Amino acid sequence: MKELQVALNNDRSYPIYIGAGLLAQPELLTKHIRAKQVLIVSNETIAPLYLAKLQIALGDYQVETAILPDGEQYKTLQYLEKVFDQLLAKKFSRNSTLIALGGGVIGDMGGFAAACYQRGIAFIQIPTTLLAQVDSSVGGKTGVNHPLGKNMIGAFYQPQCVIADADVLDTLDDRQLSAGLAEVIKYGLIRDPDFLQWLEANIPKLLARDKDALAYAIERSCINKAEVVGEDEFESGVRATLNLGHTFGHAIETGSGYGHYLHGEAVAIGTCFAADLSRRLGWLNDADVKRIIDVFQAAKLPVTPPTEMTTEQYVDLMAVDKKNVDGKIRVILLEAVGKASLPVNVDLAQLQATLNGYVG
Ligand SMILES: NC(=O)c1ccc[n+]([C@@H]2O[C@H](COP(=O)([O-])OP(=O)(O)OC[C@H]3O[C@@H](n4cnc5c(N)ncnc54)[C@H](O)[C@@H]3O)[C@@H](O)[C@H]2O)c1
Ligand SMILES: O=C(O)C(=O)C[C@@H](O)[C@H](O)[C@H](O)COP(=O)(O)O
Ligand SMILES: [Zn+2]
């Protein structure tokens, strides 16, 4: 097992445990639980696979469950309410613990529920998708979607620990594995060019679920994420680089209806779009853009946006991005392959012209 640390101020640092068979090691979990009441939040797909293991590990606790329907379209305030209903119905007190057992949707919702319930109860992330193990379970961004914008209601709220058991990825389907690779590739593009090179050589192994390759990709991704979050927990600077591809990606997710495109797929398309904008600014050349498109395609990810949406719809949705300031759309671009910019104001005419090239 590998143990990494997310280093934060005020004693809020926490470990990320990465390895095989971790769900069968109850002490990893129990050493972070302070009192008897534990609520496990999961969904209808994951619970039948892994809930019993956790319940066995927590044999001495009062374990209750909140099982949500599966899908990005349920990452809403309405379904968050189901978690609060259960916490209240079972009379959970302030020293109780919420465990999020699932992918990014469950992690974001569970974390937000924990942040809100009685103004904050302890929270543990047990990520079960590649995307959640390499990105969403680390760093404390929690929240839900709104019909008009992705992750628009939420809080920064850090977990007590993250337990990433690589074995659970065995049951993940290939499309979800590829979606996770989009965020893995992101680290290479924004700050870790050596990792990008490694990925270019090893994506076939990752797609074939080679255990060593996956373990390495998860660890190196978490190292990158932990470093960025440790430097800028609340996104006043460098953390915004983790949003590469997300301004456009979130517009695709919201505009096409949550759940149609997976988050990682939308991020892959959004990153290729950001690469195109970076080329127009003279920061990348044609070969750089091709290299970026190639790496996503090698990971079996889409690279062009849905044409059912219009330029106007895209611009409208990008106008509600959290990085925007004073009504100006701001995006993360690439100054080079392996080096992200901080948020850049985009010229509206150039944005529209670029979008017209894709969607007419
Ligand atoms: N908080 C953050 O920093 C952050 C970072 C990236 C993404 N996100 C959010 O995460 C969400 C995407 O997360 P995701 O890609 O994990 O999607 P997801 O949570 O919807 O999970 C994907 C699918 O895989 C299933 N699943 C999960 N684990 C499984 C397993 N082990 N075996 C079989 N099936 C399994 C789920 O039930 C679901 O159907 C988005 O809402 C995105 O906004 C948040
Ligand atoms: O941790 C971060 O910071 C990220 O931006 C990670 C992203 O991969 C993630 O999708 C995040 O939820 C997007 O954040 P948002 O602030 O744009 O909603
Ligand atoms: Zn993301």
Side-chain angles (χ1 to χ4, degrees):
M1 181 188 80
K2 291 277 169 53
E3 180 175 338
L4 307 174
Q5 200 70 10
V6 183
L8 301 173
N9 295 330
N10 303 328
D11 278 349
R12 290 174 310 111
S13 299
Y14 57 91
I16 307 171
Y17 306 113
I18 303 170
L22 301 192
L23 285 187
Q25 294 185 36
E27 67 289 350
L28 282 183
L29 191 59
T30 55
K31 70 180 173 190
H32 296 283
I33 298 180
R34 291 177 297 214
K36 288 281 172 212
Q37 290 176 312
V38 177
L39 180 76
I40 303 174
V41 178
S42 194
N43 78 19
E44 285 166 349
T45 304
I46 302 152
L49 295 169
Y50 301 111
L51 181 60
K53 264 195 175 171
L54 261 194
Q55 285 171 317
I56 291 166
L58 293 169
D60 295 338
Y61 293 78
Q62 177 200 337
V63 180
E64 307 290 349
T65 57
I67 307 302
L68 301 176
D70 183 0
E72 185 75 38
Q73 65 273 35
Y74 302 108
K75 186 177 153 181
T76 61
L77 278 176
Q78 188 194 342
Y79 284 90
L80 195 69
E81 188 99 9
K82 310 270 174 226
V83 181
F84 298 134
D85 290 348
Q86 185 67 335
L87 286 162
L88 277 159
K90 303 295 179 190
K91 300 192 170 46
F92 267 47
S93 59
R94 220 175 202 176
N95 62 357
S96 58
T97 298
L98 187 154
I99 299 178
L101 172 70
V105 168
I106 290 296
D108 282 14
M109 291 180 78
F112 191 38
C116 298
Y117 184 70
Q118 297 193 8
R119 304 197 186 90
I121 59 172
F123 153 55
I124 290 174
Q125 286 271 21
I126 305 190
T128 62
T129 60
L130 178 63
L131 185 139
Q133 295 193 348
V134 300
D135 189 354
S136 63
S137 63
V138 177
K141 273 193 181 176
T142 72
V144 294
N145 301 326
H146 185 279
L148 298 179
K150 181 89 180 137
N151 300 335
M152 278 294 151
I153 301 147
F156 285 100
Y157 195 66
Q158 302 290 346
Q160 304 296 310
C161 70
V162 177
I163 302 176
D165 182 339
D167 287 346
V168 302
L169 301 182
D170 289 348
T171 51
L172 196 64
D173 71 34
D174 290 345
R175 184 177 171 202
Q176 297 291 346
L177 191 83
S178 288
L181 287 177
E183 304 275 24
V184 173
I185 293 166
K186 173 183 79 178
Y187 298 115
L189 292 174
I190 63 172
R191 71 193 303 273
D192 194 347
D194 292 345
F195 185 35
L196 182 68
Q197 268 192 351
W198 181 89
L199 285 167
E200 287 169 328
N202 286 280
I203 278 181
K205 275 193 185 171
L206 292 167
L207 291 176
R209 297 166 187 258
D210 176 283
K211 296 270 181 203
D212 292 339
L214 271 174
Y216 179 73
I218 294 167
E219 185 190 351
R220 185 113 176 203
S221 297
C222 287
I223 290 171
N224 274 294
K225 179 125 192 202
E227 279 177 7
V228 174
V229 170
E231 212 175 301
D232 177 24
E233 181 180 358
F234 300 110
E235 199 174 314
S236 50
V238 70
R239 183 163 185 170
T241 60
L242 297 173
N243 234 247
L244 176 70
H246 283 64
T247 316
F248 195 55
H250 282 172
I252 293 171
E253 288 187 79
T254 307
S256 59
Y258 294 122
H260 191 74
Y261 280 85
L262 302 181
H263 177 71
E265 293 171 344
V267 166
I269 298 168
T271 303
C272 293
F273 183 72
D276 191 356
L277 285 175
S278 309
R279 183 177 55 82
R280 286 164 198 262
L281 287 182
W283 290 354
L284 298 185
N285 60 33
D286 291 348
D288 294 329
V289 175
K290 181 177 181 311
R291 182 175 171 199
I292 292 167
I293 292 172
D294 284 351
V295 72
F296 285 119
Q297 284 188 322
K300 303 214 180 315
L301 284 159
V303 293
T304 52
T307 48
E308 300 79 44
M309 282 168 66
T310 62
T311 293
E312 199 187 3
Q313 278 176 301
Y314 279 118
V315 171
D316 246 27
L317 286 163
M318 291 169 86
V320 294
D321 188 89
K322 295 172 221 71
K323 296 181 296 304
N324 296 347
V325 175
D326 292 337
K328 288 260 177 350
I329 296 178
R330 302 199 314 158
V331 296
I332 303 301
L333 298 179
L334 290 170
E335 293 174 6
V337 177
K339 187 175 188 309
S341 72
L342 289 174
V344 180
N345 284 348
V346 281
D347 174 68
L348 192 58
Q350 184 165 53
L351 179 64
Q352 285 165 331
T354 311
L355 281 165
N356 285 339
Y358 291 98
V359 295

